[in-house]
Amino acid sequence: MTVFRAAVLQMRSGTDPEANARDFAALVEEAVAAGATYVQSPEMTNMVQRDRAGLMAKLKREADDPVAKRAADLARAHGITIHVGSIAVDLGDGRVANRALLFGPDGQRLGAYDKIHMFDVDLDNGESWRESRTYRPGETAGIIDLPVAEGGARFGLAICYDMRFPHLFREEAMAGAEVLTAPAAFTRQTGEAHWHVLLRARAIENGAFVIAAAQGGIHEDGRETYGHSLIVDPWGRVLAEVDGDAPGIAVADIDLARVSETRAKIPNLKNARAFDAGNRRITVTGAIGPAEGAHSQREPETAS
């Protein structure tokens, strides 16, 4: 079987990690009841807290985080794969990782991914964010095989703002990713303008499924997120969506055969060619190097 049922969990995480872990667990149970064998939660599942002092006061190391522990237990109890979209993790040096975690049906940690691109922006109406002041960016693309269907499926990992960097997703697709992921806590104003467009574009241009669980609503710390958790097929069609910003779930059947079918119709991954732009060489995935001489494509590292 190349088909598995995926669920996205839409949350409205507050500033209490224990309470958020309970909300997360309740939504996982709802997803399992709906038949899901792969469950994804949003970015910052464990805590949405914009105040740095408040964040650091409740932060845990990964092994002690209540969401991480609950995810491992739930994956084992139900024999499913759980993708914690991200949690804030204390790195022990005054910095924080925005880290996705993957747990297999035996409850074992299969891999992790630290968000690469920091959300440092100045939006309309005075909304400003400087993620790099608190978080340490990751340096490695997340590509991992998950036991969600017969023979497994290759997933490409990303978090929120990463979705605005299409070369990351292209790198993952060129490495064989069939499912691309972008769990998020998108702001309302950027979500209204860009959320659906960006996720559908990443699916279309890579001929891959895109799964993106989201935070939604007005949070305890005062921020407002967009919601509308999505599952998109390789043709860019929305298969499932949590309508609005309220907590809930959406499920869809993911038929991996659709990936090869779509890529056969429009083989843009195979048709991509390197080219020169001024004195720079642009590879098929967007990597930049000097124009002269031979160029080889880097093999992305697997998540760990």
Side-chain angles (χ1 to χ4, degrees), residues 72-86:
D73 291 343
L74 288 164
R76 183 185 306 109
H78 295 293
I80 62 173
T81 299
I82 293 183
H83 177 176
V84 178
S86 86

Side-chain angles (χ1 to χ4, degrees), residues 150-170:
E150 185 175 338
R154 182 158 291 186
F155 279 63
L157 308 179
I159 297 171
C160 200
Y161 190 50
D162 283 333
M163 76 177 69
R164 294 183 183 272
F165 299 86
H167 52 285
L168 173 61
F169 292 78
R170 177 54 54 89

Side-chain angles (χ1 to χ4, degrees), residues 43-74:
E43 180 183 27
M44 290 294 130
T45 295
N46 67 338
M47 183 169 27
V48 172
Q49 171 60 280
R50 66 187 305 165
D51 178 71
R52 191 179 193 282
L55 177 73
M56 299 304 292
K58 295 183 179 180
L59 210 56
K60 304 284 187 182
R61 304 300 290 266
E62 181 187 316
D64 298 320
D65 181 82
V67 167
K69 292 195 291 186
R70 191 71 67 93
D73 291 343
L74 288 164

Side-chain angles (χ1 to χ4, degrees), residues 234-280:
W235 201 249
R237 291 178 288 232
V238 174
L239 298 181
E241 177 174 357
V242 179
D243 188 23
D245 62 14
I249 71 164
V251 299
D253 289 332
I254 306 299
D255 186 350
L256 297 172
R258 290 285 297 143
V259 176
S260 56
E261 291 170 4
T262 301
R263 290 175 177 175
K265 292 175 184 176
I266 303 181
N268 60 316
L269 298 182
K270 291 183 178 179
N271 293 343
R273 300 182 65 227
F275 57 90
D276 292 334
N279 63 351
R280 300 185 300 175

Side-chain angles (χ1 to χ4, degrees), residues 4-9 27-28 30-39 211 229-231 238-242 248-254:
F4 66 95
R5 181 161 293 181
V8 284
L9 312 183
L27 288 171
V28 170
E30 187 177 343
V32 169
T37 57
Y38 164 85
V39 177
I211 302 178
S229 301
L230 289 179
I231 301 175
V238 174
L239 298 181
E241 177 174 357
V242 179
I249 71 164
V251 299
D253 289 332
I254 306 299

Side-chain angles (χ1 to χ4, degrees), residues 23-224:
D23 291 343
F24 161 75
L27 288 171
V28 170
E29 295 290 353
E30 187 177 343
V32 169
T37 57
Y38 164 85
V39 177
Q40 183 192 116
S41 68
E43 180 183 27
M44 290 294 130
T45 295
N46 67 338
M47 183 169 27
V48 172
Q49 171 60 280
R50 66 187 305 165
D51 178 71
R52 191 179 193 282
L55 177 73
M56 299 304 292
K58 295 183 179 180
L59 210 56
K60 304 284 187 182
R61 304 300 290 266
E62 181 187 316
D64 298 320
D65 181 82
V67 167
K69 292 195 291 186
R70 191 71 67 93
D73 291 343
L74 288 164
R76 183 185 306 109
H78 295 293
I80 62 173
T81 299
I82 293 183
H83 177 176
V84 178
S86 86
I87 58 173
V89 175
D90 182 3
L91 296 176
D93 61 358
R95 300 297 297 278
V96 181
N98 188 342
R99 179 170 295 168
L101 297 172
L102 290 303
F103 297 93
D106 59 359
Q108 294 299 305
R109 181 186 187 274
L110 299 177
Y113 164 77
D114 287 357
K115 184 178 181 181
I116 292 174
H117 300 97
M118 299 289 95
F119 191 53
D120 291 356
V121 302
D122 297 297
L123 306 175
D124 291 341
N125 304 317
E127 185 176 2
S128 182
W129 298 94
R130 290 294 181 272
E131 197 170 34
S132 63
R133 290 177 180 168
T134 300
Y135 293 89
R136 186 185 72 185
E139 297 183 349
T140 304
I143 301 163
I144 186 168
D145 294 328
L146 296 179
V148 293
E150 185 175 338
R154 182 158 291 186
F155 279 63
L157 308 179
I159 297 171
C160 200
Y161 190 50
D162 283 333
M163 76 177 69
R164 294 183 183 272
F165 299 86
H167 52 285
L168 173 61
F169 292 78
R170 177 54 54 89
E171 190 79 62
E172 294 173 345
M174 293 294 287
E178 303 155 288
V179 181
L180 303 172
T181 63
F186 239 58
T187 70
R188 176 165 294 281
Q189 63 172 305
T190 57
E192 288 174 345
H194 302 149
W195 174 252
H196 291 81
V197 175
L198 286 168
L199 292 171
R200 294 182 66 205
R202 297 296 85 84
I204 293 165
E205 66 200 8
N206 293 297
F209 288 93
V210 170
I211 302 178
Q215 297 280 355
I218 299 176
H219 295 260
E220 190 177 356
D221 75 338
R223 85 177 68 188
E224 187 173 8

